[in-house]
Amino acid sequence: MTDAARRPDVQAVARPPAAASNPEEDRLARALVAGDPAALDEVVQRYAPQIARQVHRLLAWPEDVADVVQEVFVTALAKRSQFRSESRLATWLTAIAVNHCRRHRRTQWFRLRRLHRVRSEVESSGGAEAERADAAVVRTEQGQAVQAAVARLPHRYREVIVLHYLEELPIEEVSRLLGLSRGAVDTRLSRARKKLKTELGDVEL
């Protein structure tokens, strides 16, 4: 099955049953959907570090995180009317980020050519936040080895490792975000752990 066929519907990423309502997040979501001009700025300010970290990891720590992060929020603005109140805003944004990461992989050759021609003169704060978010992990040789091993995983395995172990999302939420069954997620996690163990030995995952 292709990535496109498995692409999660950003309208259908529902809030896990145990998730508590967050009044501030709910207020911000309503303002965004209503078209409040200040709402998008607030959404970016609040969620850019989280989305940048996720993109940074899903794409194996590339240099062009900022471009993808920007596309995530542009899409969120364009599709704000599709947001449903039964979903958490953070989860909805993560679903959009997963879609853009998959699209990025399919068109990476074109994007890299463009980036080589036109180097960005202004770094996004999101990219800087992503680097700082992983800084504590890579200070040690062990952390660097784990990061490198995760980056070398096939993307279908890297997605589940990043979302479940690094982003600490429940299996059920990973399943919804990736458009996979619980069993498929468990299988990919098992195979990813085996690949990491082969490279790293007794990795604690």
Side-chain angles (χ1 to χ4, degrees):
M1 185 180 296
T2 65
D3 280 343
R6 286 191 296 263
R7 185 179 304 159
D9 182 349
V10 295
Q11 299 182 55
V13 181
R15 184 195 304 256
S21 177
N22 183 323
E24 178 61 20
E25 185 177 45
D26 293 343
R27 176 201 65 77
L28 184 54
R30 288 193 300 270
L32 178 65
V33 172
D36 182 342
L40 180 63
D41 289 341
E42 191 173 349
V43 167
V44 172
Q45 182 177 9
R46 178 170 180 172
Y47 294 103
Q50 171 186 323
I51 297 302
R53 183 188 66 233
Q54 292 170 351
V55 171
H56 205 234
R57 290 168 167 175
L58 286 167
L59 292 182
W61 294 271
E63 296 180 356
D64 50 344
V65 169
D67 278 355
V68 180
V69 172
Q70 183 178 14
E71 290 172 1
V72 169
F73 288 104
V74 168
T75 298
L77 177 63
K79 296 188 175 182
R80 65 186 185 278
S81 63
Q82 297 181 11
F83 177 77
R84 298 293 178 262
S85 59
E86 65 269 19
S87 300
R88 288 190 57 216
L89 182 57
T91 302
W92 184 66
L93 291 170
T94 296
I96 295 174
V98 168
N99 284 342
H100 276 289
C101 286
R102 288 177 169 182
R103 183 178 299 115
H104 175 90
R105 284 192 296 267
R106 291 193 300 270
T107 61
Q108 188 176 25
W109 66 271
F110 175 79
R111 190 180 303 277
L112 288 175
R113 287 179 60 191
R114 178 169 61 84
L115 287 174
H116 282 306
R117 290 199 309 268
V118 183
R119 299 299 298 178
S120 175
E121 295 182 358
V122 179
E123 286 189 358
S124 163
S125 60
E129 288 286 354
E131 291 178 3
R132 285 195 288 273
D134 279 335
V137 177
V138 300
R139 286 194 185 106
T140 66
E141 290 185 3
Q142 181 181 8
Q144 292 175 2
V146 170
Q147 176 175 299
V150 171
R152 286 192 293 270
L153 287 172
H155 67 82
R156 63 186 181 278
Y157 297 146
R158 188 166 63 245
E159 285 180 341
V160 294
I161 288 292
V162 166
L163 293 175
H164 182 54
Y165 289 114
L166 301 185
E167 294 298 316
E168 300 181 346
L169 298 181
I171 297 292
E172 293 77 9
E173 190 165 344
V174 174
S175 174
R176 282 189 290 269
L177 285 169
L178 299 181
L180 298 171
S181 67
R182 167 67 186 258
V185 172
D186 286 338
T187 297
R188 290 189 182 188
L189 282 171
S190 176
R191 291 175 179 173
R193 285 194 298 266
K194 288 179 181 178
K195 287 180 175 294
L196 290 174
K197 187 171 183 179
T198 296
E199 290 199 42
L200 300 171
D202 295 326
V203 60
E204 294 295 329
L205 289 179

